[in-house]
């Protein structure tokens, strides 16, 4: 401790003075450059959309694309049968033996799968990533309308992780962040966005609780109506049996993908995965996950009933959505941009407290490091970052409630 005090490192971490605006821009440009170089190299070394490791470019994207081809052929239910889904994935790449990527989504997500599958694989991947990235950037610019926002949002390492997997982190963040942004301004629109988020049902565990605690009845009604319409449309398109196929497939998802760790413990950022990685049994890991979820739920309900500023409620909810589920992967950490964005917005308006800037910087860089550190050391860096961000948000909320101006409107930027 004496060394850190003498060198001023501890003081810098405490104040956050080390992270100047110039450094934010410089670090962001470095991360963007490294990310761009990685993507170019990845594509240059690929052969017919297969990388040097024998995996499809966009890896996980091959799963919705193959499911979309099945749906377009009138065989949507086959996507929920692992062997048939894997056959469809092989067919996409001319029969080459690519790894299996399961289709775990509710039937209404076939609409997206069919849209991208109507194009050649590479063009479908490009359409998916660019459109969902645009939605993510538009959302974060609304949450934090500052000149540097887009640069920092693009440089966020979770963006590169999500692109590498061809995954849906951009869409998840855009829907959740957009819903929170519009919640009080246009509650019906917010509810529709929350309803659309049902394509990732594991992230919706605590959203109804927060809305109920905050008395947001219009978004609740709009979200319920949206899910009902999505259900009806999927039944009309694929028949009622499609939901039975989905329900039966969830057992495979739970057993093989989550509990047995076939996805890789280092990729999953939950306390369940951390416990399993440390050797805990499945019941013990579930007990720890349940304990954390209940703790987060109780604190979130208090927060959304409190007089704390909405920005803190929004930041906490976005983080809580990631903490409550046992199945959250590193590409899902794009949602951290929502948490960080609302937190920073409140910080610019009210000032930052001790260690907050350094904590935010750590949360920002974690998606770049979490998988490698978890694989090499067993330390669940992503989980620790989520817990730290949530705790700091609650700390700020407690102080916010103690101020006489807590219920006043908060400007979007300084």
């Amino acid at each position: 401790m004496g060394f850190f005090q003498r060198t001023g490192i501890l003081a810098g971490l405490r104040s956050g003075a080390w992270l100047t605006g110039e450094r934010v821009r410089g670090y962001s440009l470095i991360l963007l450059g490294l990310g761009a170089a990685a993507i170019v190299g990845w594509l240059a070394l690929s052969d017919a959309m297969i990388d040097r490791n024998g995996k499809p470019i966009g890896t996980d994207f091959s799963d919705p694309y193959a499911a979309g081809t099945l749906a377009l052929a009138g065989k949507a239910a086959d996507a929920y049968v692992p062997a048939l889904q894997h056959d469809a994935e092989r067919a996409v790449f001319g029969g080459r033996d690519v790894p299996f990527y399961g289709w775990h989504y509710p039937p209404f997500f076939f609409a997206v799968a069919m849209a991208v599958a109507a194009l050649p694989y590479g063009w479908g991947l490009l359409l998916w990533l660019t459109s969902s990235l645009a939605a993510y950037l538009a959302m974060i610019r609304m949450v934090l309308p500052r000149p540097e926002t887009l640069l920092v949002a693009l440089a966020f390492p979770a963006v590169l992780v999500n692109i590498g997997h061809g995954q849906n982190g951009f869409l998840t963040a855009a829907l959740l962040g957009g819903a929170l942004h519009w919640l009080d301004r246009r509650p019906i629109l917010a509810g529709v966005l929350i309803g659309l988020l049902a394509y990732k049902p594991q992230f919706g565990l605590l959203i109804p609780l927060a809305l109920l605690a905050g008395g947001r009845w219009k978004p609740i009604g709009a979200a319920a109506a949206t899910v009902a319409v999505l259900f009806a449309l999927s039944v009309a398109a694929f028949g009622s049996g499609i939901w039975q196929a989905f329900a039966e497939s969830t057992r495979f998802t739970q057993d093989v993908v989550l509990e047995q760790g076939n996805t890789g413990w280092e990729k999953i950022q939950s306390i369940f995965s951390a416990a399993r990685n440390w050797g805990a049994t499945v019941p013990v890991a579930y007990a720890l996950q349940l304990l954390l979820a209940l703790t987060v739920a109780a604190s979130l309900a208090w927060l959304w009933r409190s007089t704390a500023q909405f920005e803190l409620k929004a930041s906490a909810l976005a983080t809580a959505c990631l903490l409550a589920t046992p199945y959250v992967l590193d590409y899902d950490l794009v949602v951290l941009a929502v948490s960080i964005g609302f937190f920073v917005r409140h910080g610019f308006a009210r000032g930052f407290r001790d260690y907050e800037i350094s904590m935010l910087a750590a949360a920002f860089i974690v998606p770049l490091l979490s998988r490698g550190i978890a694989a090499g050391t067993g330390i669940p860096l992503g989980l620790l970052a989520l817990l730290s961000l949530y705790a700091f948000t609650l700390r700020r909320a407690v102080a916010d409630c103690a101020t006489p101006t807590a219920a006043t409107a908060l400007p979007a930027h300084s």
Side-chain angles (χ1 to χ4, degrees):
M1 182 66 73
F3 169 78
F4 289 120
Q5 288 177 335
R6 286 195 300 271
T7 58
I9 293 176
L10 186 61
L13 290 174
R14 183 172 187 168
S15 68
W18 64 273
L19 192 61
T20 63
E22 183 178 351
R23 284 179 175 172
V24 167
R25 290 187 290 273
Y27 295 154
S28 295
L29 289 171
I30 291 171
L31 287 170
L32 271 177
L34 292 174
I39 292 172
V40 170
W42 185 41
L43 293 174
L45 295 174
S46 66
D47 175 28
M49 299 304 292
I50 302 293
D51 68 18
R52 295 294 294 272
N53 297 316
K55 298 178 180 180
I57 295 295
T59 58
D60 294 352
F61 176 75
S62 61
D63 127 41
Y65 189 89
T69 64
L70 288 172
L72 289 171
K75 302 176 181 179
D78 288 357
Y80 293 113
V81 181
L84 298 178
Q85 169 70 4
H86 198 187
D87 286 343
E89 290 168 358
R90 292 191 187 100
V92 169
F93 299 98
R96 296 178 67 172
D97 191 19
V98 295
F100 170 59
Y101 300 95
W103 172 255
H104 310 299
Y105 299 99
F108 45 74
F109 201 59
F110 275 115
V112 172
M114 293 168 70
V116 296
L119 299 171
Y121 181 86
W123 289 109
L125 176 60
L126 182 63
L127 172 65
W128 167 241
L129 288 177
T130 54
S131 59
S132 58
L133 176 61
Y136 157 74
L137 292 175
M139 174 278 300
I140 203 66
R141 186 68 175 81
M142 289 190 302
V143 169
L144 194 62
R146 296 177 61 88
E148 67 274 17
T149 295
L150 293 182
L151 173 62
V152 177
L154 273 173
F156 184 32
V159 168
L160 178 62
V161 175
N162 190 75
I163 290 174
H165 286 280
Q167 263 291 352
N168 47 47
F170 297 146
L171 179 60
T172 305
L175 290 174
L176 180 57
L180 290 168
H181 174 77
W182 293 113
L183 192 61
D184 291 329
R185 299 172 177 87
R186 299 181 64 182
I188 301 301
L189 173 60
V192 171
L193 295 178
I194 291 169
L196 294 175
L197 191 58
Y199 90 96
K200 297 275 279 192
Q202 71 267 34
F203 290 139
L205 298 176
L206 296 182
I207 295 176
L209 173 68
L211 296 181
L212 285 169
R216 267 54 174 216
W217 303 109
K218 286 184 179 179
I220 292 173
T226 299
V227 172
V229 169
L230 292 174
F231 176 83
L233 290 174
S234 65
V235 170
F238 307 113
S240 58
I242 195 68
W243 280 93
Q244 181 180 351
F246 168 65
E248 292 172 353
S249 75
T250 58
R251 191 69 221 175
F252 173 85
T253 304
Q254 180 179 350
D255 289 347
V256 177
V257 178
L258 177 60
E259 294 180 354
Q260 295 179 26
N262 282 22
T263 300
W265 301 127
E266 72 281 359
K267 298 179 185 179
I268 305 176
Q269 307 299 303
S270 65
I271 194 171
F272 175 92
S273 178
R276 292 288 285 140
N277 195 27
W278 296 334
T281 63
V282 170
V284 169
Y286 273 129
L288 289 171
Q289 184 67 57
L290 179 61
L291 178 62
L292 176 60
L294 291 175
T295 302
V296 170
S299 58
L300 192 69
W302 165 80
L303 176 57
W304 275 71
R305 287 178 61 86
S306 76
T307 58
Q309 287 285 347
F310 177 77
E311 280 72 11
L312 299 179
K313 298 177 182 180
S315 179
L317 178 56
T319 309
C321 287
L322 298 175
L323 284 170
T325 175
Y327 192 52
V328 52
L329 284 94
D330 49 2
Y331 55 76
D332 293 316
L333 295 180
V334 177
V335 174
L336 264 179
V338 180
S339 307
I340 293 171
F342 277 110
F343 192 109
V344 168
R345 188 164 122 183
H346 192 267
F348 277 132
R350 295 292 184 87
F352 290 97
R353 296 179 173 86
D354 288 350
Y355 298 107
E356 286 183 342
I357 292 176
S358 295
M359 178 276 298
L360 290 167
F364 179 87
I365 203 66
V366 149
L368 183 65
L369 308 172
S370 59
R371 183 183 300 191
I373 289 180
T377 68
I379 298 173
L381 203 61
L383 173 64
L384 295 175
L386 291 171
L387 289 170
S388 297
L389 179 55
Y390 191 75
F392 271 77
T393 307
L394 289 182
R395 184 186 75 163
R396 180 173 272 263
V398 170
D400 204 41
C401 290
T403 63
T405 56
T408 60
L410 179 66
H413 56 82
S414 61

